[in-house]
Amino acid sequence: MNAQMEIGTDEKALHINLDSARYGTFAEIGAGQEVARRFFRVSGAAGTIAKTMSAYDMTFSDAIYGPADRYVSRVRLQTMLDHEYDLLIERLDGKFGAEKTFFVFADTVAARSFKERNESHGWLGVRFQAQPRGQPSQIIIHVRLLDEANVDQQEALGVIGVNLLHGAFYCRQPEKLISSLQENLSPGRIEVDMIKFSGPLFQSVDNRLMSLQLVSQGLTDAVMFKADGETVQPTEVFYKRAILVERGSFRPVTYATNDMLDGARRVFLKHCDCSEEDLVVLMEMTLENLLADGQVDHADFLARVDILGALGRTVLISRFREYYRLAAYLFRYTNRAIGLAMGVPSLIEILGEKYYTNLEGGILEALGRMFKGGLKLYVYPMIDQARGKIITATQIDVAPNLRSLFQYLIDNQYIQEITDYHSAYLRIHPPDVLAKLQSGDNRWEQMVPPEVAHIIKKREFFGYRRPIAA
């Protein structure tokens, strides 16, 4: 939706207030009643709002919603939605149930504190009926508030809350609803890094595709979902844990893909102060890797994600073309060890000065940002096809002016060689595997794990062609 077609925030609130079928509760904790205030200040709120409430004191909050380990969390938001919706139905269904569609809007937010520069973020959700006495549907989102001033963050919260409600009520296409979340907000004020649709209205919605929409529409730089497809917010996964990331196109996952990750994991756990249980392993795909002719092929994207899910992997989709930007993102969420698993070609690319012309400090600035938190690269060797020679991380050719810098990274162990690997797997390259499976050459099955071959053949992923019988 372009700027000329956007509806102002007050107009959206008034639209809802004048809709005689909508009636519900606003429950807001942590940053004031910023969303409810938008509805009160236009007109007609008495026809829309059954109740507003805010419980700032933890004792009151616990008495209403039960105790919580973290008050600004998905769990707390879900408890609020459950409690308030049940209460609304219990008290008003007999009076208005045949004519009204009930809703609950809830948020729990930590805005900028006057005492400290804390992470400003919140969880927002709406549970609503599409018709009187119908089963409710639900949308929840996680937002980061990026304004410096508390008052500006509160204003942004009010705007996105109204956008969420208006989109839920009047926008039946989830992609358009996602686009509407940023209406009437200038760029750089909010980030939406998690969204989940559920309930009868959204039975056909794949939340993994909705997560992808957040990235492709520019509402966030990265989204995550677990092997079972559940969308998650980074803090839910990264909190107090070490992180190991392997970037790739995963089209498809091969024995070499897994060998690189397994080798990196062994080195990582040996040198870092963490256990297997403390480690989060991520498979990252950049938006650039997903584009085909300028567009994301949704079927191809889901095929890659389904294969990674079958292997039990957590997936990260990002806009981080440069590794230093990925590093900055990971530093935001943990102070534990971080490792990036990659092949020698990726290391060569990292040391290419041409990729950092946008930075004032060039490659020095990029590497400084990347390694400032003790991040390490775990590098898988490659075969020089011309000479048949294995090339390791410490043996690559580096431009003369970068040799001392490269040696500094080696000496300080920022670059770690993966030495425990299967040499036969070095000859496996995903483009070759893809060409074979698309041409009916069944030798590709020897290059991927059995579970990967099974799902590709069963669901005919990536243009799979069955072998022609002799």
Side-chain angles (χ1 to χ4, degrees):
M1 185 178 292
N2 61 43
Q4 288 72 29
M5 295 174 63
E6 289 181 3
I7 305 173
T9 306
D10 286 348
E11 286 82 358
K12 287 185 178 183
L14 182 59
H15 183 196
I16 293 172
N17 279 352
L18 296 179
D19 186 342
S20 60
R22 310 288 178 184
Y23 202 54
T25 293
F26 289 78
E28 302 185 73
I29 293 178
Q33 293 189 296
E34 298 305 316
V35 181
R37 180 174 64 85
R38 289 279 180 169
F39 290 87
F40 280 126
R41 83 177 195 180
V42 289
S43 63
T48 300
I49 300 177
K51 180 183 83 172
T52 67
M53 69 153 296
S54 186
Y56 283 89
D57 185 89
M58 290 182 183
T59 302
F60 277 90
S61 183
D62 287 352
I64 298 168
Y65 301 119
D69 293 330
R70 298 191 319 192
Y71 289 85
V72 182
S73 66
R74 189 206 300 229
V75 173
R76 189 47 140 197
L77 175 70
Q78 193 62 59
T79 302
M80 294 168 69
L81 290 168
D82 291 345
H83 176 87
E84 297 298 343
Y85 186 82
D86 290 347
L87 205 57
L88 193 63
I89 299 300
E90 176 188 326
R91 292 179 176 175
L92 295 181
D93 184 69
K95 183 178 180 181
F96 296 125
E99 59 192 73
K100 300 283 189 182
T101 54
F102 293 123
F103 72 90
V104 171
F105 174 88
D107 63 50
T108 174
V109 180
R112 178 61 49 85
S113 168
F114 73 92
K115 293 181 180 179
E116 56 187 52
R117 296 178 63 84
N118 56 308
E119 169 79 1
S120 304
H121 71 112
W123 290 87
L124 292 73
V126 55
R127 179 177 294 184
F128 62 103
Q129 296 174 328
Q131 61 274 331
R133 292 192 169 132
Q135 288 298 308
S137 296
Q138 182 172 289
I139 309 168
I140 64 172
I141 63 175
H142 180 267
V143 302
R144 296 181 66 232
L145 304 170
L146 306 179
D147 288 307
E148 288 295 320
N150 178 279
V151 65
D152 293 332
Q153 291 184 355
Q154 292 179 354
E155 179 194 29
L157 179 65
V159 173
I160 195 170
V162 172
N163 288 343
L164 176 59
L165 265 176
H166 194 270
F169 294 160
Y170 308 115
C171 191
R172 287 295 180 257
Q173 293 180 275
E175 295 87 350
K176 290 185 177 180
L177 183 150
I178 288 171
S179 178
S180 75
L181 292 175
Q182 54 193 332
E183 288 179 6
N184 307 305
L185 287 166
S186 54
R189 296 195 64 188
I190 59 118
E191 177 183 341
V192 182
D193 60 7
M194 183 270 178
I195 191 165
K196 182 178 180 181
F197 296 83
S198 58
L201 274 181
F202 306 118
Q203 285 181 336
S204 62
V205 172
D206 190 317
N207 281 300
R208 298 171 301 177
L209 288 178
M210 297 305 102
S211 294
L212 181 61
Q213 284 292 319
L214 292 178
V215 178
S216 60
Q217 292 195 35
L219 277 84
T220 188
D221 286 328
V223 291
M224 293 177 61
F225 35 88
K226 297 190 293 186
D228 61 3
E230 175 73 11
T231 57
V232 288
Q233 197 274 331
T235 302
E236 297 177 294
V237 177
F238 292 153
Y239 186 63
K240 293 185 177 179
R241 299 180 77 183
I243 304 170
L244 180 62
V245 183
E246 180 175 352
R247 170 177 289 184
S249 62
F250 309 116
R251 196 172 188 261
V253 173
T254 69
Y255 278 124
T257 309
N258 287 347
D259 197 39
M260 180 192 302
L261 186 63
D262 291 341
R265 188 204 303 258
R266 285 190 287 270
V267 182
F268 187 94
L269 292 174
K270 181 179 178 181
H271 292 100
C272 298
D273 184 22
C274 70
S275 65
E276 188 79 42
E277 293 71 29
D278 294 329
L279 177 62
V280 176
V281 175
L282 294 177
M283 312 303 274
E284 184 215 10
M285 288 183 278
T286 66
L287 193 62
E288 187 178 67
N289 271 336
L290 295 171
L291 294 176
D293 301 322
Q295 299 291 324
V296 175
D297 183 329
H298 289 172
D300 183 87
F301 164 71
L302 291 176
R304 304 190 217 187
V305 172
D306 284 345
I307 288 172
L308 292 170
L311 295 171
R313 306 298 191 201
T314 298
V315 177
L316 179 73
I317 308 297
S318 84
R319 301 173 69 93
F320 305 133
R321 185 177 185 276
E322 302 88 356
Y323 278 99
Y324 71 83
R325 295 183 60 220
L326 171 61
Y329 171 80
L330 299 174
F331 290 146
R332 183 195 303 166
Y333 295 105
T334 188
N335 58 5
R336 301 290 298 275
I338 297 173
L340 305 182
M342 63 183 62
V344 162
S346 294
L347 176 60
I348 293 172
E349 188 173 281
I350 284 173
L351 295 170
E353 291 185 273
K354 65 181 180 181
Y355 298 111
Y356 311 115
T357 55
N358 61 315
L359 297 179
E360 289 186 13
I363 191 171
L364 284 177
E365 181 178 346
L367 297 183
R369 291 186 187 186
M370 184 185 303
F371 295 113
K372 69 175 183 179
L375 176 145
K376 295 182 185 296
L377 308 182
Y378 298 91
V379 185
Y380 192 66
M382 65 173 281
I383 287 185
D384 182 331
Q385 298 287 6
R387 295 179 293 171
K389 177 185 176 184
I390 293 177
I391 299 174
T392 67
T394 59
Q395 297 171 334
I396 65 173
D397 289 328
V398 177
N401 63 310
L402 297 177
R403 285 173 186 164
S404 294
L405 176 58
F406 178 59
Q407 192 59 48
Y408 170 84
L409 298 176
I410 298 293
D411 291 344
N412 287 275
Q413 300 183 336
Y414 290 117
I415 297 175
Q416 303 267 326
E417 289 185 345
I418 296 174
T419 56
D420 184 7
Y421 60 89
H422 294 81
S423 57
Y425 295 161
L426 300 181
R427 299 184 182 277
I428 297 176
H429 303 288
D432 297 337
V433 178
L434 191 63
K436 284 181 171 59
L437 73 85
Q438 291 176 342
S439 67
D441 182 345
N442 63 7
R443 287 178 296 173
W444 70 270
E445 294 185 47
Q446 301 166 22
M447 303 175 181
V448 304
E451 56 268 50
V452 174
H454 174 74
I455 195 171
I456 288 175
K457 292 191 294 183
K458 181 179 180 181
R459 300 172 65 175
E460 298 186 343
F461 285 157
F462 307 133
Y464 166 69
R465 181 179 175 185
R466 297 182 183 278
I468 300 173

